[in-house]
Amino acid sequence: MPDIHLEGLTRSFGPTTAVDNVSMIFAEGTVTCLLGPSGCGKTTLMRMIAGLEAPTSGRIRFGDRDVTRLSARQRGVAMVFQYPVMYRTLTVAENIELPLARDRGLSPAERRGRVDEVLDVLDLLAQRGLRMGDLDMGARQRVAVGRAIARRCDVVLFDEPTTNVEVHAKLQLIRAFKEFRRRLRQTIVYVTHDQTEAMTLADQIALMQAGVLSQCAAPRVLYDEPDSEFGGWFLGSPGMNFLDPVGRVGVQARFAGISAEIAVPGGDVAGLRAGIRPEYVRVFPHAAPGRVTARVVGDCITIGGQHLLTLDVDGAELKAKIPPGAGMAAGSTAFVECPAEHVMLFRDGRRLSEQSVGLSRFP
């Protein structure tokens, strides 16, 4: 199983650059999710890895092998698309076995063994003799995944395979994906715009924005330590709160919603913003030292079992995740605390290190 190396990979379509100078490594036997909003370049990047798009510049290597100018067939990759591409006149088992027939090193018994293993993991044994036209979209996509996995290519690419299936089928696909991953340890690249899916499946997430690689890290690191405002905003439901400075005293800045002053390099507040995730914002009904007065905006809403409160702090909007039953009436006064250890500083969209901003200077 090879590493996948991207070196300065760029793809332009006329004046539009879809992927801009991306360099990264997909480690062998790991799952990397390409994550980002629609139009960020993640599918174009995957298509270049697959050999379906030719890069404008840059190189692609599978291990020590330069595959930049090789066709998709020559690269030996398997790929699953958003919409399952099936032979409708063949049965489920025949669709999965068909690519294996090209491998002369496999006996008929070995081919049937691989098909049976795939059908078992995908919970499709009872449907093995059905033709594709008899299956719903979710079952067809499971067959497409099975066909790609059964080939046991070193590299398997998934292009948003759960986008067009209903929720139950999506969960089945994710469970099957994790089981195949446990058994085979192939190098997998998985494109998605669903952050929950990425956080669940990936060893590392490559977050993309406007064709550029914004950050590549383990899921928890990407969430807890975003390199950019974009990463803080995109990951999370809702994303990170961002607060503008409302004043400066010497080399320290004050932000709406934060009771303490934060030391910043040279006291320069140009392009500076403070960020804190909603789950770290504490809301209280009574005043106390270190708490900032806020006004509740609208009613508390529930999203995915979490209770979300929107607050106005000196004209700045602040979202907080609160415990059940702790909601306050719209228009009421609340008191907010933003713990120093959970506050990050960003300048011109990029995060500053804790050492440079002096977070230890909170009282």
Side-chain angles (χ1 to χ4, degrees):
M1 291 172 287
D3 293 338
I4 302 172
H5 296 254
L6 309 183
E7 301 171 5
L9 209 61
T10 297
R11 181 64 168 110
S12 298
F13 299 91
T16 302
T17 300
V19 175
D20 190 1
N21 194 31
V22 169
S23 296
M24 64 176 298
I25 297 174
F26 304 82
E28 71 170 295
T30 62
V31 178
T32 300
C33 280
L34 300 180
L35 177 67
S38 297
C40 71
K42 56 187 184 293
T43 294
T44 301
L45 184 61
M46 168 173 281
R47 288 175 62 84
M48 286 192 285
I49 296 171
L52 302 176
E53 292 279 357
T56 304
S57 61
R59 287 205 311 161
I60 305 168
R61 290 190 293 113
F62 290 177
D64 295 328
R65 187 167 64 116
D66 189 331
V67 301
T68 310
R69 303 303 169 190
L70 297 184
S71 68
R73 181 184 293 272
Q74 291 171 313
R75 295 185 192 197
V77 301
M79 188 165 181
V80 179
F81 298 89
Q82 287 187 30
Y83 293 94
V85 181
M86 294 285 109
Y87 296 96
R88 297 179 66 87
T89 58
L90 300 183
T91 66
V92 168
E94 289 169 341
N95 265 283
I96 293 173
E97 186 177 2
L98 186 62
L100 305 180
R102 301 192 187 102
D103 188 343
R104 296 182 179 178
L106 288 177
S107 68
E110 288 172 321
R111 293 202 302 268
R112 287 193 296 272
R114 285 198 191 181
V115 171
D116 288 342
E117 179 186 24
V118 165
L119 291 173
D120 181 41
V121 174
L122 291 170
D123 194 23
L124 285 171
L125 283 171
Q127 288 82 33
R128 66 177 301 142
L130 295 180
R131 299 193 185 277
M132 299 308 299
D134 298 325
L135 304 179
D136 60 24
M137 178 64 78
R140 292 178 196 172
Q141 190 66 300
R142 278 187 285 155
V143 175
V145 170
R147 187 170 63 183
I149 295 293
R151 291 177 59 193
R152 298 192 182 175
C153 296
D154 289 337
V155 175
V156 186
L157 310 176
F158 292 85
D159 185 12
E160 304 198 57
T162 65
T163 298
N164 299 299
V165 300
E166 48 88 20
V167 174
H168 179 67
K170 180 175 182 175
L171 293 175
Q172 285 181 310
L173 279 169
I174 290 173
R175 282 197 294 267
F177 178 91
K178 295 177 80 169
E179 176 61 19
F180 281 128
R181 194 302 180 77
R182 184 187 66 81
R183 295 189 188 189
L184 302 178
R185 301 293 298 178
Q186 293 160 303
T187 304
I188 293 172
V189 183
Y190 192 107
V191 166
T192 182
H193 62 270
D194 184 332
Q195 58 176 282
T196 301
E197 199 168 78
M199 296 289 285
T200 301
L201 298 177
D203 296 305
Q204 68 172 354
I205 296 175
L207 181 63
M208 296 191 66
Q209 178 189 18
V212 175
L213 181 63
S214 176
Q215 185 177 358
C216 186
R220 198 70 234 180
V221 172
L222 198 69
Y223 186 84
D224 291 336
E225 303 173 24
D227 283 347
S228 65
E229 286 188 27
F230 170 73
W233 166 80
F234 189 80
L235 287 172
S237 180
M240 183 175 281
N241 294 295
F242 293 102
L243 303 166
D244 294 319
V246 294
R248 186 183 70 179
V249 180
V251 296
Q252 294 186 320
R254 182 174 291 277
F255 297 83
I258 302 175
S259 61
E261 293 169 349
I262 304 175
V264 296
D268 183 9
V269 298
L272 199 65
R273 299 178 88 192
I276 185 168
R277 291 204 175 275
E279 57 265 37
Y280 298 131
V281 178
R282 299 172 184 169
V283 183
F284 304 91
H286 305 294
R291 296 176 187 173
V292 176
T293 304
R295 181 176 60 86
V296 178
V297 180
D299 294 323
C300 180
I301 61 174
T302 302
I303 301 176
Q306 296 180 320
H307 302 276
L308 185 67
L309 198 64
T310 302
L311 304 134
D312 181 288
V313 185
D314 293 330
E317 183 179 274
L318 195 64
K319 294 188 182 297
K321 291 182 179 178
I322 60 175
M328 302 177 185
S332 64
T333 298
F335 300 90
V336 173
E337 184 179 336
C338 296
E341 63 269 23
H342 297 302
V343 175
M344 301 178 187
L345 280 193
F346 298 82
R347 189 188 301 281
D348 299 325
R350 304 302 299 179
R351 181 166 63 91
L352 302 177
S353 68
E354 292 184 10
Q355 292 78 14
S356 70
V357 301
L359 288 182
S360 60
R361 298 191 187 184
F362 274 87

